[in-house]
Amino acid sequence: VETDFHRRYASREMLEIWSAEQKFRMERALWIAVMKAQSKAGLEIPEAAIKDYESKKSIIDLESIANRESILKHDVKARIEEFNSLAGHQHIHLGLTSRDVTENVEMLLIQESLELIRLKCISLLHSFGERIKEFKEIPIVARTHNVPAQVTTLGKKFSVWADEQIFSLRHLEELMNRLPIRGIKGAVGTSTDMRSLLGERVSYFEAEISSFFGNENSSNSTSQVYPRSIDFEVIATLVQLAAASNNFAINVRLLAGLGHLQESFSDSQVGSSAMPHKMNPRLSERINSLFSVLKGYLSMIENLVGEQWNEGDVSCSATRRAAISGSFLVVDGILDTAIDVTQGLAISSKSIENELQRELPIIASSEYLMLLVKKGLSRELAHKQLGKALRDYKDSGSSTTEDLYEVLSKNSEPSITKQELQSILDNPILLTGSASSQCDLVVTEIRKWVAKVKGAASYRPKVSI
Amino acid sequence: VETDFHRRYASREMLEIWSAEQKFRMERALWIAVMKAQSKAGLEIPEAAIKDYESKKSIIDLESIANRESILKHDVKARIEEFNSLAGHQHIHLGLTSRDVTENVEMLLIQESLELIRLKCISLLHSFGERIKEFKEIPIVARTHNVPAQVTTLGKKFSVWADEQIFSLRHLEELMNRLPIRGIKGAVGTSTDMRSLLGERVSYFEAEISSFFGNENSSNSTSQVYPRSIDFEVIATLVQLAAASNNFAINVRLLAGLGHLQESFSDSQVGSSAMPHKMNPRLSERINSLFSVLKGYLSMIENLVGEQWNEGDVSCSATRRAAISGSFLVVDGILDTAIDVTQGLAISSKSIENELQRELPIIASSEYLMLLVKKGLSRELAHKQLGKALRDYKDSGSSTTEDLYEVLSKNSEPSITKQELQSILDNPILLTGSASSQCDLVVTEIRKWVAKVKGAASYRPKVSI
Amino acid sequence: VETDFHRRYASREMLEIWSAEQKFRMERALWIAVMKAQSKAGLEIPEAAIKDYESKKSIIDLESIANRESILKHDVKARIEEFNSLAGHQHIHLGLTSRDVTENVEMLLIQESLELIRLKCISLLHSFGERIKEFKEIPIVARTHNVPAQVTTLGKKFSVWADEQIFSLRHLEELMNRLPIRGIKGAVGTSTDMRSLLGERVSYFEAEISSFFGNENSSNSTSQVYPRSIDFEVIATLVQLAAASNNFAINVRLLAGLGHLQESFSDSQVGSSAMPHKMNPRLSERINSLFSVLKGYLSMIENLVGEQWNEGDVSCSATRRAAISGSFLVVDGILDTAIDVTQGLAISSKSIENELQRELPIIASSEYLMLLVKKGLSRELAHKQLGKALRDYKDSGSSTTEDLYEVLSKNSEPSITKQELQSILDNPILLTGSASSQCDLVVTEIRKWVAKVKGAASYRPKVSI
Amino acid sequence: VETDFHRRYASREMLEIWSAEQKFRMERALWIAVMKAQSKAGLEIPEAAIKDYESKKSIIDLESIANRESILKHDVKARIEEFNSLAGHQHIHLGLTSRDVTENVEMLLIQESLELIRLKCISLLHSFGERIKEFKEIPIVARTHNVPAQVTTLGKKFSVWADEQIFSLRHLEELMNRLPIRGIKGAVGTSTDMRSLLGERVSYFEAEISSFFGNENSSNSTSQVYPRSIDFEVIATLVQLAAASNNFAINVRLLAGLGHLQESFSDSQVGSSAMPHKMNPRLSERINSLFSVLKGYLSMIENLVGEQWNEGDVSCSATRRAAISGSFLVVDGILDTAIDVTQGLAISSKSIENELQRELPIIASSEYLMLLVKKGLSRELAHKQLGKALRDYKDSGSSTTEDLYEVLSKNSEPSITKQELQSILDNPILLTGSASSQCDLVVTEIRKWVAKVKGAASYRPKVSI
């Protein structure tokens, strides 16, 4: 499924995993492993024949396979005949059905992809971590309902995205430990043909082949296909893993709109073909755009969940062909882009400060409220009086501390002293509560994750145009 | 976006429409049209320069364009510079923004694709029509809740799918008449730059360029992009257009499960790599599978509806890149496959008849009910008595008319005579009500549609493996 | 389906349409119309009996119906027996199946709802129109990629949402004209039972009943149910109709974030239980939130499209029960809220102006570009030079015209004169191109729509908390 | 959110959890816990006041709350004032923001609901287990592509659904262990106000309140809201948990279509208002229908994932209000219905046997293939010959072993002996491979799950009509 679309956004490594060649290579490895296991279980397969298959396993002629498929109208049968013809034997696929091959190979590709995604999530976490440390003491206006609310720190913002990423990473690791391999179970999941071939020695075979898969979670009972709710959990996990990136990207766009930050911009780059001055958060927009694609792929897979007729059919095939590889390629692009944006982000401290100075007298309102409550005013009354006072102050258009003091003291009794007020306005960082210590907690957590996976800290994505 | 996935399912014609080459060709045609219109509106562009562009417009070097894009990090700018470099001038894209190019070209590609889809829908309708005529008097067990209900005809089944197709075709035609072209409106939709260039003569320009688009539904007011709810209606219409095919395919699978019919099967074909006897309704399954993909693409586009920030950005770009072309390629594959299956379907009259004979004594129940009501029995009482009688008859395992008569007459008073019963069982076609005349109505309607579009009746899809 | 959720957001009128009582009333009206039509077609139904039904049709005892249903385990049968028991006869539902009742009543409710939605869309259009007229000459920074791009007018922003609304309204009107009524077709769509009852006089019956429905688009061929792709188009149209509201709401939130505007805020209102100063665009957020719900309902209905087995079953029932009424109630809430927000919006001219003054020197960049092109500079070269110059100027932190002139003239030859520059900066409204005339076009169009529907201009929604 | 819709399908227990009363009860418990913790941390709150709140906590007057909300236009503020007014104090909600209350209470309701869902999943597993044991040695035609493929056992079919259920249950348990509580973090997640109130003693407070939540997974850093990707994993898990039920239900419908089984049917029940004989798998259809609803709710929640602006707003509120409770109520209905259908299912051994006898000669094809391979014939050649032979045999319409032998021996060399053939046809159970032992594995696994949860084995749902 290497396409213009996916080549544009996905990494070389992920494209490699989902290439036709890689699939065919793994199918052949599986067929060879089956022959060896069958041979150990007593089926007569000449050792020389297995060697012949081994020697040809890397010769992948996509055109020849396509030609066979157009005649046989069956894709796996075409690959069987191609491999047989290369090796000059007919020993592969004995006792197997097509899905014995494809279901297992797909799951192996999924597992390989999940490993890669895990690396990238942790690499993103690492990049977030660097930014948290850098920004954890920079006060900035926090917004709820997109309007100024209280004070937080810029690092705290990154820590929230990191924390979301960590929760999803826990799910990923659990899933990776839990994912089963369907195994070699035949056309309707009963292993009937393999039993007919091998009799009671079928158990030798199964032990042998399960060590090839290297997975202990073999299904106890499956039909021709494994349940598509497993695919669903996999792809839903990818959506979950991309959520922090999407949140990050949306907020980069919002902060860029306020002039607080900007994506990296190279000298040769063009922002707009019409407007020469433009520098746009277009990679963040790309993340959001790819996230919409990812959710669409999930919806494709969702259509297959719980919809299996009898022992199975191919009403899931084209869907999975599009959506599984598609999801991995897209989430790969999202994560690489998020890492790239995080690392390249330029901050405008001046813009951040200006906004804070402008909004502080108003958004310190809950601080005033706590002060009044501690002075013995009842909470709901103080809330009401402050609301009116601050709205009046805002409407007046004034920005002097004097006027603010005036309006605050006019409305409530007991009131805030001028000194108290000045002290609040002079030290916005004191209004950021636990922001900094929360940053520390998250950074500590990130360190544990980064330590687990080699290469996560040093990974640098190549994000195309 | 030509991919393994889409090459496998879509037609040559549709792949051509959504190729990079076709997009670039249309962009260049648009740039040339703009220069000509600007020239007419008084902007000084040397005629020779326009000729130079004209003479190079077909030279499309994908690699060179890709190289430029990797430096400029802006796809349209790369294509501008490529075309300028080929022609040796810098006259294109004056007063334009990238979206002036891409939004319009995409809409032109959409319109072209809709034309092709319309042809295929009508061709499918034609094929359904042939089958309706062939099968309209073949009685068959109708099922509700998947269990035998009454008698219908096989042709009637096809007429229902055809009728669904016709309703959606009406929507398609209305939509095609209603689709607007965004036009050349500049970076934020105000035509500011073109006005700066051309002054009041901008109206000449606009008249000229709108005749290039050949579309009278120009938007009255748009921003940088046209509203994505228009894309949404387009793709939702494709889902609607594919619904009849999906219904058809599911029912082919159900009827194949009863042995009543079978998809065409060639001699060289292989049904299953494990089970030599298999002949499967796999193309119908493919239709269902592609429909899941199509709905996923709709969900991608749905994520963009009503989500435009300000005058626009590229948070819709990757999504539309994947989903718009993808939807057309997939619906194209669905329709081609549905036509192919309809034309190739083989019916087993014997299987259909056997089932009818087996179920008729039971499923004539509403006929018995009407008879009793006409004899004066109250409806709800008769309903209750018949229910019990027929369940008893079924449990007895009997299949003789005698026993049926027995059980029916035992339970109700007045009752059904033996002669009435025999007459019902002897003439299942009399129990099909208006089925045949409804078939005629639908066939008449189909004829009108087929007459409208040249080539619809003779179209034969090339459905790959 | 009247629920806490829907009562919170939907209007009294829409809740009324989708109440159990309204459904049962319409079912009874249909049963009575059927009896009358059957009587005309010669079936013996005592006139007195019909009168008895008529006299009881408004007595709706939900509890009694629920009790019957718990015994019969069939909802329609319960309502038949209730109505029979009230009237003391058993003449209703002769020749009918449950779906003859429910499918038609649902479509009548859909049509009634669409009328109401149309009124509200046009009312919203009217409100947009008032704002367009008010704001069409107020220049404001236009943003692409959420950062300043060019100048537009505030009215122009509203005109774009209005234009999107108009496109979707056209779809709505076409759909309303096209929607078919399934009609009385019996258990599998063949009208078999009615034919058995009435013989050839069935055609009298059908003419009579179709005049009851008042709809000429009767289906030519249907099964027990009408195709769910019709429901899909209906609900997809609602999503499309809500798109402009959603776009509007998102942009209210963005503009509120810049301080440019604010939703209406009453004196008794509380913005935040923690922060006394808060005034939030929470109704706009509600619109966005309800839109997510609406799209979820569409996805429910989408699951039914093209998924009909044989002549039908109830695997669509619970889904339609949740999603159809739900969609109408939610879109109703969206439109009412959008009208309310539009009418109550307060603008901060000062904030809008401040931003414009700050950004103008930079965002006039395409104006500079056109000027240089007209002076003979090649477009791509001028683009490059301007890009560099303006980024330098921005980085310098300066905001004087002098410095701007400096940086512009240093970079290009020929250059922009000081006078030209001043003239651009002094007249931002001149940089808004066709914005004002586009507003006029849209207002003219709106007037036509408003003239068509009585009450649209005067409609005032009651938006709850 | 108790609605007609949900009352129809959900259980009393689940409706109770998601009632307004239960939510308000938990909010009040939280407010009281906060006061006690604050008091311990040194804030002056009179013990008598806390007692007054305690004494009024169960008086829930929905109407009074609604009235307050209509004035304040803020739902939580309304509930604060109601509780204050009941108690005659203003000590609750000090240092809190609304989301400190709602986010935590919702998570507690989610956890409670997950416990209930877990019980029902295991109860379903138990019911599946009973059926597996009952049916594990009953041979039945296995179908792929909905047409006869090989032989399996009826118990094996149930074991596949059970195995799917077990995989999803593992996810559920991991999720339940991993779900965090947001905790009391204030308006933007920095705990600023609580710190202002309590100073350094805030840590006492936090320890105290976290023991109220009884959850160790407190978030390290959150904003006003917890990340909606957590909601997404919760609801996606519900979809996953319902997948086995949906698969089961679809296959009940398919098997009912073949006459092999039937849902329980009581004497007073009516299958169809038109056709007295009908007995329909309508509960299975309901499961499928509710599953479409459930997926729609997931799609609502999906719209919120990764879409948080800044520190949060209410653009998620209406969506979560509809979708979270809705999902739990619907999945509850699905599971209850699936348990009910499983327990009530009636099997027709005769129908199952008849089909097997009819299809066996053909579907033993892979058995013939293995036999020929063991005799030394090359696999692909044997496959080809058998395919042709069996298609010929089928077309001939014959059903005698003699003819089958004829056609098989004519086509291949070496061939199958008459004795071998007879032995295959006489013992279909021998063609079911590992079906029975797989059933045993699954039953063993089920036993472990049932042992873990009290009441799972004895649970009997009350499925309404």
Side-chain angles (χ1 to χ4, degrees), chain C residues 44-322:
Chain C
E44 211 169 306
I45 303 181
E47 211 161 307
I50 298 183
K51 272 196 181 139
D52 288 339
Y53 281 106
E54 292 259 26
S55 71
K56 306 292 182 176
K57 71 182 176 188
S58 305
I59 304 170
I60 291 174
D61 180 343
L62 297 179
E63 207 182 312
S64 167
I65 294 169
N67 288 340
R68 291 180 188 278
E69 193 174 346
S70 71
I71 294 161
L72 296 163
K73 304 203 170 191
H74 193 291
D75 54 352
V76 175
K77 196 70 167 58
R79 268 121 61 190
I80 295 170
E81 302 212 343
E82 172 77 6
F83 198 22
N84 278 344
S85 151
L86 281 168
H89 302 280
Q90 292 194 17
H91 294 291
I92 61 167
H93 206 68
L94 283 180
L96 304 193
T97 195
S98 306
R99 243 69 180 258
D100 280 320
V101 179
T102 54
E103 295 279 301
N104 288 311
V105 164
E106 281 155 10
M107 186 49 83
L108 292 172
L109 293 171
I110 286 173
Q111 289 173 344
E112 214 176 307
S113 301
L114 288 174
E115 282 291 353
L116 183 56
I117 290 304
R118 180 163 163 268
L119 170 81
K120 296 189 174 188
C121 287
I122 296 176
S123 170
L124 175 59
L125 216 44
H126 172 73
S127 301
F128 280 162
E130 295 302 298
R131 294 308 196 148
I132 296 172
K133 287 186 275 178
E134 192 180 346
F135 302 145
K136 74 174 185 167
E137 307 277 1
I138 300 179
I140 187 171
V141 170
R143 289 171 175 249
T144 58
H145 304 272
N146 203 31
V147 293
Q150 289 191 333
V151 190
T152 188
T153 74
L154 185 54
K156 160 81 184 175
K157 282 175 177 281
F158 281 83
S159 77
V160 172
W161 304 317
D163 206 50
E164 180 171 23
Q165 189 70 66
I166 289 170
F167 181 76
S168 62
L169 262 164
R170 291 209 182 103
H171 183 192
L172 175 63
E173 294 211 332
E174 287 173 0
L175 175 63
M176 288 170 77
N177 286 332
R178 186 164 26 92
L179 269 185
I181 275 284
R182 173 185 173 279
I184 305 292
K185 299 284 172 63
V188 301
T190 55
S191 300
T192 299
D193 296 343
M194 200 58 82
R195 248 172 209 279
S196 297
L197 269 183
L198 304 177
E200 283 312 310
R201 280 163 308 176
V202 75
S203 54
Y204 288 90
F205 169 79
E206 291 189 343
E208 203 65 37
I209 201 70
S210 109
S211 84
F212 166 78
F213 290 125
N215 185 322
E216 294 165 0
N217 308 312
S218 133
S219 300
N220 283 323
S221 188
T222 176
S223 57
Q224 183 173 97
V225 297
Y226 67 75
R228 273 40 181 137
S229 61
I230 297 181
D231 287 335
F232 172 72
E233 190 187 343
V234 169
I235 309 303
T237 304
L238 299 186
V239 170
Q240 194 183 354
L241 288 165
S245 297
N246 207 61
N247 267 327
F248 164 64
I250 278 200
N251 285 284
V252 167
R253 294 167 60 198
L254 288 169
L255 292 166
L258 296 167
H260 294 352
L261 49 71
Q262 195 180 281
E263 289 180 7
S264 73
F265 193 87
S266 77
D267 272 354
S268 64
Q269 195 170 343
V270 167
S272 154
S273 68
M275 299 161 287
H277 72 281
K278 293 283 296 214
M279 290 181 291
N280 302 321
R282 67 193 183 83
L283 289 177
S284 299
E285 289 161 14
R286 176 188 294 179
I287 291 171
N288 292 162
S289 194
L290 289 173
F291 192 62
S292 290
V293 176
L294 182 60
K295 292 193 292 178
Y297 282 135
L298 177 62
S299 125
M300 293 182 194
I301 289 297
E302 217 176 312
N303 290 330
L304 307 179
V305 179
E307 300 283 339
Q308 186 184 323
W309 290 17
N310 316 294
E311 277 67 30
D313 54 54
V314 296
S315 64
C316 56
S317 292
T319 320
R320 295 176 75 244
R321 198 184 285 266

Side-chain angles (χ1 to χ4, degrees), chain B residues 434-445:
Chain B
S434 313
S436 177
S437 66
Q438 291 168 342
C439 287
D440 293 341
L441 282 172
V442 172
V443 166
T444 304
E445 191 68 20

Side-chain angles (χ1 to χ4, degrees), chain B residues 160-175:
Chain B
V160 172
W161 304 317
D163 206 51
E164 181 172 22
Q165 188 70 66
I166 288 169
F167 181 77
S168 61
L169 262 164
R170 290 208 182 103
H171 183 192
L172 175 63
E173 294 211 331
E174 287 172 0
L175 174 64

